[in-house]
Structure formats: structure tokens, C-alpha cells
Amino acid sequence: MARELSEIRMLAAGEGGLVLEMGNRISPAINARVRRLAKLISRTGIEGVIEVVPTYRSLMVYFDPLNINRSDLIKAVQRILVSGPGPGAEAKEKVRIVRVPVCYGGEYGPDLDYVARHNGLSAEQVIAIHSSRSYLVYMLGFTPGFPYLGGMSGKIAAPRLEKPRKKIPRGSVGIAGSQTGLYPVESPGGWRLIGRTPLKPFMPGAPDPFLLAAGDYLKFTPVSSDEYDRIRLEVENGSYITDTCMIFREREANVQGG
């Protein structure tokens, strides 16, 4: 990562924040470097660093100014960038694909028909396109566990609602512009809802409360309403096992299909 040192902008964010900007566009390659730097900083254990938060193209480093000043933190980050991941670093990285069952349309996806009409497609074609690929989870935000996904086909893009809904059910799957996402908790929102998953993307109080993490890939899998109800009951009684798989890929490459 030494070559990236001169390309990174380091910006102050209040008294206890340092923003590391690693690019000016949204891309899997830049996001992969952001996540890799986040792991390196976390593993190094810089005294005074409280938390690192990856975003699309930057990394926020929260620190305690009573334990480390900004200048020393910048020097520590620079040393990490110069030294890189160290000897023996793999050319490939292990990534997780999480399959999320979705019941499309009807009461679960009231905007599916609109998205179809807007794009001159049938509802079945929208479902086929939406569920045909794996989406990179760039980051989590907006609400706890909300995944910002990349890679949706422009063939099913649709504008946001003119008037946002006051209450969107947990698990709703939506489209806004050229993005798709998954509502982890009940909340207001203006995305076009095309389906819903019975899974709980955010489980406060659990040892690992988030279904997804930055760097994962999400694969939507169509299910019937009967399957939705069966899975929902399994989720509620704790017997459901999330369908995941691990694959190796070249660093900074896209994963499609799956």
C-alpha cells in the first residue's frame, strides 16, 4: 500500500476524528483498499484509536486526543501504509456470500409493478434481473445494519418516492435510483419496495448483531409466500441457519453471479 500514501488525503474531523480519503469515486477497487487499511489499523493496535469506520471511499478513524494527538496518529498511519500488509500476504482474499431469501411483490413488494412499468419490463423480469447477481456490501449505515450495495443493473433503476413512507417494515428490499438495499429495522424511507425477507438483518443484543458486514456479498434468492412464512417461523424460534458460502477471489475484483 506504499504507493497509495501520496494519493490519500488526511482530513481533520473534529477533535477526535481523522478521515482518510482514498479516492473520489465509488468503485470496488477503492472500497477494497479502504477495508484493507481498516483491518491493518485495527490489527496494529495503535494506542488511542477507538474505532475505524469504512465508507464507500474513505476511512474514519476515531481516536482519543488525550492518548494520541493527530500528528502522531497520522505518522502511525503513514508507517502502516509504507510497510503494507507484510510478507506472506495472499494475492487472493476470502469473501463471504450471504444468500437472503426474498418474497417479491404483493404485500411484501408494493412497488414491484411500478418498477416494472417504469422500465418497460414484466414483474418476473425485474425479479430475475434483481436476483441474478451478487451485490458488494460497500458499507453499513443510515440505520443499524443497512447495507449500501453496489452492482445493481440499470435496467431496473427507479426514482425514489415523491413522498417517503413514514413506516417501512423490517426486512423490506427496495430500489432507489441505481441502488438497491435492505431495511434492517422498521423505519421511514423513500425507496421503491419490491420485496421483503423474513430474516433479521439487525439483532440487538446478539453476540454478532449484524447479518452483513462491509466486504460481504449479498445474493437475493426469490421464495414463495409459503416459504417466506416457513423461514420466518424458523427465524423466530432460532432454528434458521443463514445460507452462506466462502469463496476466494482476486483482490479488488468484482464478484458476479453466485
Side-chain angles (χ1 to χ4, degrees):
M1 299 184 75
R3 66 180 175 81
E4 300 172 9
L5 181 56
S6 62
E7 302 172 3
I8 295 179
R9 296 179 65 204
M10 300 192 184
L11 308 171
E15 294 185 357
L18 177 67
V19 177
L20 308 175
E21 284 194 350
M22 304 185 71
N24 58 6
R25 58 192 174 87
I26 297 174
S27 83
I30 291 174
N31 187 253
R33 291 195 289 271
V34 169
R35 289 184 280 103
R36 192 154 66 250
L37 180 56
K39 289 180 181 178
L40 288 173
I41 292 176
S42 297
R43 290 171 183 169
T44 301
I46 302 172
E47 184 176 358
V49 169
I50 300 170
E51 184 181 13
V52 293
V53 181
T55 70
Y56 276 116
R57 58 183 182 84
S58 64
L59 183 67
M60 169 67 86
V61 182
Y62 291 102
F63 66 94
D64 182 351
L66 297 179
N67 286 337
I68 187 170
N69 60 50
R70 195 182 312 277
S71 177
D72 288 340
L73 175 59
I74 289 174
K75 291 176 183 177
V77 172
Q78 289 173 333
R79 286 195 295 270
I80 291 172
L81 288 166
V82 170
S83 61
E90 297 291 340
K92 296 183 178 182
E93 65 177 338
K94 183 184 290 187
V95 297
R96 185 175 70 139
I97 297 178
V98 181
R99 290 184 172 86
V100 174
V102 176
C103 185
Y104 287 91
E107 63 176 302
Y108 299 132
D111 299 320
L112 176 62
D113 289 339
Y114 170 86
V115 174
R117 290 195 305 271
H118 179 77
N119 290 287
L121 301 169
S122 67
E124 291 74 18
Q125 288 173 315
V126 172
I127 295 170
I129 293 170
H130 187 259
S131 61
S132 67
R133 57 182 61 192
S134 296
Y135 299 93
L136 171 63
V137 179
Y138 278 93
M139 65 179 186
L140 303 180
F142 169 53
T143 59
F146 187 97
Y148 284 83
L149 307 175
M152 192 188 81
S153 171
K155 294 179 180 179
I156 55 174
R160 295 171 180 263
L161 292 171
E162 293 183 5
K163 184 178 181 180
R165 292 180 172 94
K166 294 181 180 180
K167 185 183 295 185
I168 291 179
R170 180 192 69 205
S172 294
V173 176
I175 289 175
S178 59
Q179 286 188 298
T180 186
L182 171 64
Y183 284 83
V185 296
E186 185 180 279
S187 69
W191 292 38
R192 302 282 178 174
L193 305 183
I194 62 171
R196 195 185 305 169
T197 179
L199 303 190
K200 295 181 178 180
F202 176 57
M203 297 166 287
D208 185 2
F210 300 111
L211 175 67
L212 300 160
D216 286 345
Y217 282 83
L218 186 160
K219 182 74 165 61
F220 294 112
T221 303
V223 297
S224 67
S225 58
D226 287 343
E227 289 176 293
Y228 178 98
D229 290 337
R230 176 184 59 79
I231 294 171
R232 180 180 57 81
L233 290 175
E234 291 180 0
V235 170
E236 292 296 334
N237 64 33
S239 64
Y240 182 78
I241 299 176
T242 304
D243 186 2
T244 65
C245 67
M246 304 295 293
I247 65 169
F248 285 93
R249 68 169 172 95
E250 299 293 334
R251 288 193 179 278
E252 302 176 5
N254 276 309
V255 172
Q256 296 293 342

